[in-house]
Amino acid sequence: MKPDKRPVRLVPWSAGVPFDTLACDVPEAIVVTDSVGRVTHVSVGAAALWGCTPEEIIGTPVADLMTPDETAVRHRDGRALDTRVHLFPLGSDEQPAGFVLVAGGRPDSAGEGGDAALVTWAFDQHPTAFLIYDHEARIQRLNTTMSRIMGYREDEMRGRFLAEIVPGSVYEEIERRIRRVLETGQPEYTEPFVRTPGEARAHAWFMDIFPLKNAAGQVRGVAVSASDFSQQYDSRERLALLSEARTRIGASLDVQGTAQELAEVVVPRFADVVSVDLLESVVLGGLPGPVPSGPVPLHRAAYRTAFAPASHAPVPGTVQRHPRSSPIARCLVDGRAARHAITDREIVRWLADDPAQAEQIRACGIRSLIVVPIRVHGSTLGTVLFGRRATALEPFGPECLAVTEDLVARAAICLDNARRFTRDSGIALALQRSLLPRGPTVHPAVETAVRYLPAGGEVQAGGDWFDVIPLPGARVGLVIGDVVGHGVHASATMGRLRTAVRTLADIDLPPDELLTHLDDIVTHAEVEQDTDDTLGDIPGDIGATCVYAVYDPVSGTCSLARAGHPAPLLIPPDDSGGVIDTPVGPPLGLGSLPFEATELTVPEGSLLALFTDGLVTAGGRDIDDGVAALRRALAQPASSLEELADTVLRTLCPGPRDDDIALLLARTRVLDRDHVAGWDLPGDPAVVCEARKRVRDLLTTWKLEEEAFVTELVVSELVTNAIRYATGPIHLQLVKERALICEVSDGSSIAPHLRRARLSDEGGRGLFMVAELTRRWGTRYTRTGKTIWAEQSIGER
C-alpha cells in the first residue's frame, strides 16, 4: 500500500476504548512494541506507511514514528501523514507488557469518528424523513426529521411495528406495503395525505419504500423515505379542482342545479361548508335588480357541508335576509371577494347583528371563510360563501382567494346560462300553453283524451303539438304534428303551424289540400328566414311533420293525410285493426311534392290514436317495435279514455325521455236518425215548397218548432240558389246536435258570395238574410261539387 500524503492530526488513544468499537476503516499499519516502547513487530502495511523496511523499524522507539508533538504519524521524509492512529496497551493499564499502534483511514475534520460519523450525520441530519425496518418489518432506525414528524424518539419506536405505534387505516396500508416489499423485493411508492402525531395539520407525503439487500441479493430490511410535497399537492389539487369545475358545472341548465353542482365540486376537497345565495329575480330567470339599501334578501340556491349539517341549517329554496354588516351584503355592494378569519372585527360585528347566522357558524365550527360575488357581464347575480373548520383543512390562505375567484367566475357563466334558459323556457312554456288545447275538447263526434310531455320535463317546452278542431256539419278535425327542436323557436314554429292549420281547416279544405297549403306556408316562411341574417343559425320549420284527419259522424267516415308523420292507429270495437294504411307524404317545407288522402269507414266506438314518434321510440326502441307496443297498450282494458292515455304513457315511456311526446286519442260516435235527416231534390223550383214542408214536419218531430220559421227561410234560400245557379244532384240535409245545421249540396264548384243588394236589385238579399239569421254559414268543396251550410243556435232567439 502506498503511503498517504494527506496531512491530518493524530487521534490519540483513549484508555478503555475497545478495539472493535473504534470508528475507523480497515487498518493500514499495525505496530507492536515492548513495555518500554521499542518496536518488536510490524505489519507489511506499516513498512509501506512509514516508507521503511521492517528491519529499519524494528527496534526503534515508537516515538520516532511520530511527529515531535506526537499528534501524527511521521513519514521517514518528515511529512505528517493524513491518517488516524490509536494506541492500545497489552496486558493491564497499570503494568503493560507492551503496546499496539494501529494506523489507517482518514480522520474527520473534527477528529470525531471519520467516515462512519459522516454517514451517521448524513442519516440523522438529512431534511428528508428516513426510516429503516428489519426483515420482520420492525422499526430499527429513524432520523431526526422522521422522529420530529412522528412525535416519538428513536428508542421509543425501535423494535415495534408502525401500526402498533400510530394506529389508523393509512398507517396500516403503509405497513402492508412494507411487508409486500420484504416479500417481493420490488420497490413501491405511495402518496398519503395524513396528519402525523408530530404535525399540527395534515400533509401530503411522497413515500418511497425500497428493499435493503445484502451482497447475495437477499432482502434484509426495508427503507422508507418520506418527503412533504404539500405545496405541490395543493397546486395540483387546485388545478384538478378547476378542471373538474369546467366539466361538472353547468350540465343541468337549471339555476339551482348549477349552484348545487358548484357546491358538490367544492366540498369536501376545498372547503368544509359552501353556500350559494342568489337574488330572487335570478332564480326566476330575470336580470338582477339593484341591491336594496337595507337587509339583502337572498335565495339559498345550494348548501353543502363535509359533515352532517345541523338541524337548523338553511335548506335550498329558503330566503334569508343578510344585514348590511354581513360580508355577503358587502360583497354584493362592492363586487369584490374577501377572505376573513372568524376572529376578524368585521366578522364579529356581523355575527352580533345576525344571531341566526352566528348560530349556524358556531354549529359548523367555521374558523376561516371566503365570500366571492357571482358576477357576469357587469351584473352581480349573488354570492358564494366558502368555509373551513379548524379541525379539518388549514385556514384559507391568500392563494385560495384566486382559486375561489376562478371557480366562481366559471360558475357565474353557467348560472347566467341557466338563468337565460329559465327565462326562455318560461317564455316558451307560456307560449305553448297559450296555443295548445287545455284539456280534452268536448265534441259530439268524438270523445278525446290528450297527453303532452316535453323532452326535458315540465320545465321544458317542445315542438310537438295537437289540436281538435270543430268543423261544420258536426264533423271534427284531428291534427298532430312534430316540429324539430325544443325551446322558444320550436314553440313559436308550433304556434305558427297550429294557427295555419286552424285557418285552413276553417275554410273546410280536405286533408290532402290542407297539407299542400301548409307546405307552401312553411316553404315561404323558410325563404323569408333565410333572408333575415338576424336569426342566425336557428333551425327552421323544414322537417316538421303532421297528420290531419277529418271525421264525419253522419257518414261514419274518416279522411286523413300525413306529411312525413307516423300513421295513426285505428282500433275498432272488435279489437281488430292497427296502423292505418295511408300514403306518407314528405315532411313540410320541401315543396312541390304531392300529398294523398285516404278515406275509410270507421265503426262507431272505434279508437283513433294519433301520436308523435317520441312516444314509440322512447327508451331507444325501434319505431316498428314501438308501434307494436303502442298497439298492445291500447288493447288494455280501461274504465275511461283518460285512464287509457295514462296507461299508454306508463307502458311506453316510464323513464326519462329525450324527445317530446304527444298523444291524441279519439273515440268515435255516429249520429243516428234522431239527429240526421236528408233528401235528394230535383232541379225544379216547385220542390222548394215541398222542401220547406219536410223541414217543418221534421222539426216538429225533433221538438224544435220554435226554430222552424228561420230554418224554412234558410232552406228556401239555399235550395233556390242551388236550383237557379248550380247543377244537380241537389241534396238537403239537417243535423241536430248542439246546433241545428242545414246543408245543401250541389254539383257546382262555384261558391256564392255575400253582397249588399241595392234598392233597385231584384236579388242578392237571400244570402244576406241567411247570414243575419244564423250563427254562421259557409261553403266547403266536395269531390262532386260543393256544400253550403248554415248553423242555427238551438233555443236562442
Side-chain angles (χ1 to χ4, degrees):
M1 179 181 295
K2 296 182 180 180
D4 195 330
K5 303 180 184 297
R6 290 167 294 182
V8 296
R9 292 177 299 151
L10 174 65
V11 180
W13 164 73
S14 298
V17 178
F19 176 77
D20 58 356
T21 62
L22 291 175
C24 64
D25 299 331
V26 177
E28 298 176 358
I30 299 176
V31 176
V32 181
T33 71
D34 57 16
S35 60
V36 296
R38 292 185 178 273
V39 178
T40 60
H41 299 80
V42 295
S43 67
V44 176
L49 178 63
W50 273 278
C52 304
T53 64
E55 293 77 10
E56 292 176 328
I57 297 177
I58 293 174
T60 62
V62 71
D64 293 345
L65 303 177
M66 306 297 176
T67 57
D69 57 2
E70 297 185 356
T71 60
V73 174
R74 180 172 60 84
H75 194 268
R76 67 179 298 172
D77 60 8
R79 291 181 297 109
L81 302 179
D82 182 16
T83 184
R84 290 192 299 271
V85 178
H86 295 277
L87 188 63
F88 302 91
L90 294 175
S92 64
D93 294 344
E94 293 77 9
Q95 294 180 346
F99 299 91
V100 177
L101 185 147
V102 180
R106 291 180 300 168
D108 58 279
S109 59
E112 298 179 0
D115 291 346
L118 289 175
V119 173
T120 301
W121 293 342
F123 178 82
D124 286 336
Q125 300 176 24
H126 198 280
T128 299
F130 211 78
L131 193 61
I132 297 176
Y133 295 82
D134 63 12
H135 64 283
E136 294 181 346
R138 294 180 183 274
I139 297 172
Q140 290 300 311
R141 293 291 310 275
L142 63 154
N143 66 357
T144 305
T145 304
M146 181 63 80
S147 178
R148 176 183 56 79
I149 291 171
M150 297 304 297
Y152 293 94
R153 300 190 308 273
E154 184 179 72
D155 60 339
E156 293 176 317
M157 298 182 66
R158 186 181 295 115
R160 302 172 67 185
F161 298 112
L162 177 63
E164 176 187 353
I165 301 172
V166 278
S169 58
V170 175
Y171 300 103
E172 291 172 359
E173 172 61 22
I174 294 173
E175 187 165 303
R176 281 193 292 270
R177 290 177 177 271
I178 291 169
R179 294 183 182 277
R180 194 158 55 235
V181 172
L182 283 170
E183 294 172 1
T184 64
Q186 298 298 320
E188 294 191 13
Y189 76 92
T190 182
E191 296 180 3
F193 186 84
V194 64
R195 187 179 74 85
T196 59
E199 297 287 335
R201 63 181 181 86
H203 288 260
W205 302 97
F206 182 90
M207 300 183 67
D208 266 316
I209 307 172
F210 55 92
L212 300 177
K213 301 179 181 179
N214 60 16
Q218 297 174 321
V219 179
R220 304 305 301 164
V222 169
V224 177
S225 173
S227 301
D228 183 356
F229 74 111
S230 296
Q231 186 174 2
Q232 297 88 336
Y233 176 85
D234 291 343
S235 299
R236 188 177 68 184
E237 284 296 296
R238 286 195 291 269
L239 291 175
L241 182 67
L242 295 175
S243 177
E244 183 178 353
R246 284 192 293 271
T247 57
R248 290 186 57 187
I249 300 176
S252 65
L253 279 180
D254 173 71
V255 173
Q256 293 203 171
T258 302
Q260 187 62 34
E261 288 164 357
L262 169 62
E264 290 173 355
V265 168
V266 169
V267 176
R269 64 189 304 175
F270 181 77
D272 297 313
V273 180
V274 66
S275 65
V276 182
D277 298 282
L278 302 173
L279 294 168
E280 190 69 20
S281 58
V282 174
V283 178
L284 300 177
L287 287 171
V291 179
S293 57
V296 182
L298 290 178
H299 181 99
R300 176 61 50 87
Y303 181 79
R304 186 176 177 85
T305 67
F307 48 89
S311 58
H312 58 274
V315 296
T318 58
V319 176
Q320 286 190 305
R321 301 180 69 84
H322 300 270
R324 297 297 291 181
S325 59
S326 163
I328 295 176
R330 293 200 306 272
C331 179
L332 280 173
V333 173
D334 56 31
R336 292 194 301 269
R339 177 174 60 95
H340 297 282
I342 199 66
T343 55
D344 289 350
R345 184 169 54 186
E346 54 265 47
I347 301 300
V348 173
R349 184 171 63 252
W350 163 47
L351 297 181
D353 294 340
D354 193 346
Q357 191 71 264
E359 179 61 26
Q360 296 170 19
I361 294 291
R362 281 192 292 269
C364 294
I366 294 177
R367 292 293 178 266
S368 175
L369 58 89
I370 291 178
V371 183
V372 183
I374 305 173
R375 291 184 56 82
V376 62
H377 306 310
S379 300
T380 302
L381 309 182
T383 65
V384 183
L385 184 144
F386 304 87
R388 284 184 178 179
R389 301 195 295 173
T391 57
L393 302 169
E394 64 176 310
F396 289 117
E399 71 283 353
C400 295
L401 201 59
V403 175
T404 56
E405 289 177 325
D406 287 345
L407 270 174
V408 175
R410 165 64 185 171
I413 296 174
C414 298
L415 284 168
D416 190 57
N417 290 339
R419 178 194 65 80
R420 293 170 183 267
F421 182 78
T422 300
R423 179 199 60 191
D424 293 347
S425 296
I427 295 172
L429 282 172
L431 176 62
Q432 188 176 60
R433 289 168 180 167
S434 66
L435 294 174
L436 290 177
R438 297 185 180 182
T441 302
V442 179
H443 196 278
V446 291
E447 174 194 3
T448 63
V450 294
R451 293 293 184 271
Y452 177 76
L453 299 176
E458 296 302 324
V459 299
Q460 295 280 353
D464 288 9
W465 55 286
F466 58 87
D467 208 350
V468 179
I469 307 172
L471 297 176
R475 296 169 305 130
V476 64
L478 305 173
V479 59
I480 196 164
D482 188 352
V483 175
V484 177
H486 308 283
V488 175
H489 184 74
S491 296
T493 300
M494 174 271 290
R496 227 173 19 245
L497 294 179
R498 181 175 181 270
T499 302
V501 169
R502 274 194 164 264
T503 302
L504 295 172
D506 194 51
I507 60 177
D508 227 340
L509 291 177
D512 51 345
E513 293 186 27
L514 184 143
L515 291 183
T516 300
H517 285 284
L518 188 63
D519 181 67
D520 291 340
I521 292 172
V522 172
T523 303
H524 295 155
E526 189 68 24
V527 172
E528 293 175 1
Q529 178 175 299
D530 290 341
T531 61
D532 188 356
D533 294 336
T534 62
L535 292 177
D537 189 18
I538 300 178
D541 304 346
I542 286 182
T545 63
C546 182
V547 169
Y548 181 65
V550 175
Y551 174 67
D552 187 347
V554 175
S555 63
T557 60
C558 180
S559 177
L560 71 155
R562 58 187 179 125
H565 202 88
L569 273 67
L570 178 64
I571 315 296
D574 60 3
D575 203 30
S576 61
V579 178
I580 299 176
D581 185 14
T582 179
V584 57
L588 299 173
L590 298 183
S592 70
L593 295 175
F595 298 95
E596 298 182 44
T598 297
E599 185 169 314
L600 62 156
T601 301
V602 179
E604 184 175 10
S606 296
L607 179 64
L608 189 63
L610 288 74
F611 55 91
T612 56
D613 58 359
L615 176 66
V616 293
T617 59
R621 282 188 299 262
D622 178 81
I623 189 168
D624 293 333
D625 295 337
V627 171
L630 174 60
R631 175 65 182 86
R632 292 191 298 271
L634 292 172
Q636 298 183 35
S639 60
S640 66
L641 208 58
E642 292 290 333
E643 181 182 336
L644 182 60
D646 292 334
T647 300
V648 169
L649 293 184
R650 284 196 305 268
T651 304
L652 270 70
C653 48
R657 52 196 176 272
D658 54 8
D659 195 7
D660 306 326
I661 292 174
L663 173 66
L664 170 58
L665 300 180
R667 184 84 70 183
T668 62
R669 299 167 179 160
V670 175
L671 300 181
D672 54 22
R673 292 182 178 274
D674 293 336
H675 295 81
V676 182
W679 305 272
D680 290 328
L681 304 177
D684 184 355
V687 79
V688 175
C689 182
E690 178 65 21
R692 295 178 62 175
K693 181 180 182 305
R694 292 180 179 180
V695 168
R696 185 168 54 252
D697 294 341
L698 177 65
L699 294 182
T700 301
T701 304
W702 284 351
K703 301 181 187 302
L704 296 175
E705 295 90 346
E706 295 183 0
E707 281 76 19
F709 177 75
V710 174
T711 306
E712 287 184 43
L713 288 176
V714 171
V715 168
S716 295
E717 180 60 29
L718 296 184
V719 171
T720 300
N721 284 346
I723 294 173
R724 180 177 298 177
Y725 301 111
T727 59
I730 300 174
H731 183 80
L732 170 62
Q733 178 173 276
L734 263 66
V735 179
K736 183 191 73 169
E737 252 305 326
R738 288 176 295 179
L740 181 61
I741 305 168
C742 177
E743 296 183 342
V744 176
S745 302
D746 58 51
S748 173
S749 59
I750 300 175
H753 296 283
L754 182 66
R755 65 185 179 88
R756 184 176 297 276
R758 292 173 295 181
L759 292 177
S760 59
D761 290 342
E762 295 183 1
R765 296 176 178 85
L767 197 58
F768 181 79
M769 286 193 301
V770 170
E772 290 294 319
L773 294 174
T774 60
R775 187 169 64 183
R776 60 175 185 158
W777 73 279
T779 303
R780 71 172 180 271
Y781 294 93
T782 65
R783 297 183 183 279
T784 58
K786 69 177 182 298
T787 297
I788 302 176
W789 55 270
E791 284 188 7
Q792 181 182 348
S793 299
I794 297 176
E796 295 182 6
R797 297 293 178 266

